Amino acid sequence: MADEAFFRNLPKVSLHDHLDGGLRPATMLEIADEVGHTLPASTPDALATWFTDAANSGSLERYLTTFAHTTALMQRAEDLRRVSAEWVLDQAADGVVAAETRWAPEQHQTMGLSLDETVEAVAQGLRDGMAQAKAAGTPIIARQILCAMRHADRSLEIARLALRHRDTDLVCGFDIAGGEVGNPASKHKAAFDLLRHEAFYYTIHAGEEGPLSSLLDAIDCGAMRIGHGVRTADDISRRTDGSFVLGRLASFIRNNRIPLEICPTSNVQTGAVTELAAHPLGVLAWLGFTVTINCDNKLMGGTTLSREYALVASAFQLSTTEMAQFALAGASALFLDHDEREALLRDMTSAWMAASFTDQSGQQH
Ligand SMILES: [Zn+2]
């Protein structure tokens, strides 16, 4: 079975990976020292362990509390820039060829930065990271998705911020993040309406902890991609003869090829699924849904995209050819201009096809 190292050598796309969930522990300790923030551990290894332990609670609410420590270290422009550059370099080192990082500007203003300044700082970091990755021979396309917090009321302001920076600061999309229960996407409908009116792009976190109605709400708001969407499986039943029956919502998502940004390890950590083997991504992919694989938060998950691919391949006994579908679905779902995306798809297709013939152990697939 192909392992993490095998998938690291293959081109992958990261659609759903939070900037404030992917800091390097060593960097956190350095910045904490400078800004006077107290962290729960004092060595990189102990800090990494603290995050994964805290994130393994089985509760999304508890999982989200760990972000107080990361966002506290991303309040100065130089820190946002550094963390963004390192985020890009870590992706490139993991064989990711295109990555969209998402984060919430409104959470990075405690030291006086304006919303515009936070976006510009992250853009600088992404450019730094792309330049360094290219020089190292591992080129990568990096973009940013601006999130509004779903429990707050700044989504229209953040949507306008995204539009203001779409052409100059690598902003490719918009999202809403945070606790789903009690904070339906429709609360932010004005933001989504504005973005559609301006022909801009957005994804919506939905169907992670929230019920099926939360997913329907996101579709009603015009979600172009769905963050997680695990609950789609609740609208699919099985007849006694083993065949599947899709409800109207699941059918709509499948028929419209709305990409699901599945984050396997994160879904287990937050309790969205009980264990990886029970994750509905296997059956969703088999039924023809547009399934992509993502990290959500590398720090909290103690993971990488290569590791997520290896975990999925192992849990569902999938071949390299089958795993290629996830990677290519990810590339097709990027909020990226057509020509650039097609070029990426061509390169990725040939790399995965070559790998499909012979995996690391020389077995034919
Ligand atoms: Zn997320």
Side-chain angles (χ1 to χ4, degrees):
M1 184 56 64
D3 61 9
E4 186 175 346
F6 174 78
F7 289 112
R8 191 173 302 125
N9 287 323
L10 284 164
K12 298 170 295 300
V13 164
S14 175
L15 298 177
H16 191 129
D17 196 330
H18 295 259
L19 185 61
D20 48 334
L23 281 73
R24 294 177 180 174
T27 299
M28 293 184 70
L29 291 166
E30 284 181 30
I31 299 176
D33 206 31
E34 290 176 23
V35 301
H37 179 80
T38 304
L39 286 168
S42 55
T43 67
D45 285 349
L47 194 56
T49 302
W50 182 87
F51 272 98
T52 49
D53 285 351
N56 277 332
S57 64
S59 151
L60 179 62
E61 292 299 328
R62 170 98 171 84
Y63 181 93
L64 294 176
T65 60
T66 61
F67 289 86
H69 285 296
T70 55
T71 54
L73 305 174
M74 301 163 66
Q75 300 298 329
R76 301 182 303 179
E78 63 261 43
D79 299 329
L80 278 170
R81 182 173 177 169
R82 174 182 179 179
V83 164
S84 304
E86 291 177 352
W87 186 93
V88 173
L89 290 168
D90 290 348
Q91 298 282 5
D94 190 39
V96 175
V97 294
E100 297 171 352
T101 189
R102 64 183 72 195
W103 61 291
E106 66 195 80
Q107 293 190 311
H108 300 270
Q109 295 193 286
T110 64
M111 290 190 188
L113 289 179
S114 69
L115 290 174
D116 294 272
E117 285 169 336
T118 65
V119 176
E120 287 158 11
V122 169
Q124 274 298 336
L126 298 182
R127 288 193 190 96
D128 294 346
M130 283 192 282
Q132 288 175 43
K134 190 175 178 188
T138 53
I140 178 171
I141 297 166
R143 298 286 186 270
Q144 53 176 325
I145 292 173
L146 304 189
C147 298
M149 298 309 293
R150 58 198 310 154
H151 60 266
D153 59 1
R154 299 182 70 178
S155 52
L156 194 54
E157 189 183 1
I158 302 302
R160 290 195 180 109
L161 179 73
L163 293 171
R164 209 153 57 234
H165 292 268
R166 66 189 291 185
D167 295 326
T168 50
D169 291 301
L170 307 172
V171 177
C172 68
F174 173 87
D175 175 36
I176 50 171
E180 210 177 320
V181 176
N183 299 298
S186 51
K187 199 174 131 185
H188 306 282
K189 198 161 190 312
F192 298 122
D193 287 346
L194 170 69
L195 294 166
R196 274 200 314 283
H197 184 71
E198 296 292 336
F200 198 51
Y201 311 93
Y202 55 91
T203 176
I204 299 179
H205 273 86
E208 180 183 12
E209 58 165 353
L212 203 56
S213 59
S214 160
L215 196 56
L216 177 60
D217 199 53
I219 294 295
D220 190 31
C221 287
M224 298 165 193
R225 300 190 326 220
I226 296 286
H228 300 289
V230 177
R231 299 271 72 84
T232 305
D234 295 354
D235 199 33
I236 300 172
S237 55
R238 205 153 188 191
R239 293 194 189 91
T240 48
D241 67 359
S243 60
F244 291 93
V245 185
L246 274 68
R248 289 196 194 283
L249 179 59
S251 292
F252 185 89
I253 291 170
R254 182 172 71 166
N255 290 344
N256 284 290
R257 299 187 182 87
I258 296 173
L260 302 176
E261 304 160 356
I262 299 285
C263 307
T265 293
S266 168
N267 292 154
V268 175
Q269 287 188 304
T270 62
V273 298
T274 51
E275 58 175 334
L276 193 56
H279 200 296
L281 79 88
V283 80
L284 290 170
W286 188 79
L287 286 169
F289 282 83
T290 303
V291 174
T292 68
I293 297 176
N294 303 276
C295 287
D296 207 10
N297 300 290
K298 294 190 292 297
L299 176 66
M300 290 69 181
T303 197
T304 62
L305 194 53
S306 299
R307 181 171 172 274
E308 296 297 305
Y309 270 65
L311 289 172
V312 168
S314 169
F316 298 100
Q317 297 289 302
L318 299 178
S319 69
T320 305
T321 309
E322 289 164 324
M323 293 304 296
Q325 302 309 313
F326 296 121
L328 299 176
S332 300
L334 280 163
F335 291 147
L336 191 67
D337 278 340
H338 176 82
D339 291 349
E340 214 170 353
R341 196 168 58 186
E342 289 301 304
L344 194 69
L345 267 167
R346 273 196 301 276
D347 291 348
M348 288 180 64
T349 302
S350 53
W352 279 90
M353 276 182 70
S356 297
F357 288 112
T358 311
D359 77 3
Q360 58 177 2
S361 58
Q363 292 170 332
Q364 296 292 309
H365 284 283

